[in-house]
Amino acid sequence: SGDSGKSGGLAICLGIVLAYYFCLISSQNLGMLGTLNPYLSVWIHNIVALLPAIYLTYKMQNETGILQKLIRH
C-alpha cells in the first residue's frame, strides 16, 4: 500500500507538471502569434494554476485542521 501510494502521488505530480508545461508553451505560442495579448500570454498559465491551488489549500486546511492544531499548541 505504501509503494502504490507513492507511485500514485508521483503519477499525479507528473501529470500536473506536464499539464502546466503544455499550458505554458501553448500560451506563449499564442502570444507570439498575436492571437493572445503578449502580457496575458505570459501570466495566463500562472492564473489558471493559482485557482486550483487556492481551492486545494483551503480544502486541506478545513479538512485536516492543521491551522487549528498549530494555534492550540
Side-chain angles (χ1 to χ4, degrees), residues 12-48:
I12 291 171
C13 180
L14 286 174
I16 290 170
V17 168
L18 289 173
Y20 179 83
Y21 184 73
F22 176 76
C23 188
L24 169 71
I25 297 301
S26 298
S27 65
Q28 286 179 347
N29 287 339
L30 290 173
M32 284 190 274
L33 291 172
T35 307
L36 192 61
N37 181 325
Y39 294 110
L40 183 62
S41 72
V42 174
W43 287 101
I44 190 79
H45 56 279
N46 289 324
I47 295 167
V48 169

Side-chain angles (χ1 to χ4, degrees), residues 3 9 20 23 25 28 36 42 47 55-56 61-62 66-68 73:
D3 288 338
Y20 179 83
C23 188
I25 297 301
Q28 286 179 347
L36 192 61
V42 174
I47 295 167
Y55 170 74
L56 290 173
Q61 289 292 327
N62 287 333
I66 292 172
L67 186 59
Q68 289 81 14
H73 286 89

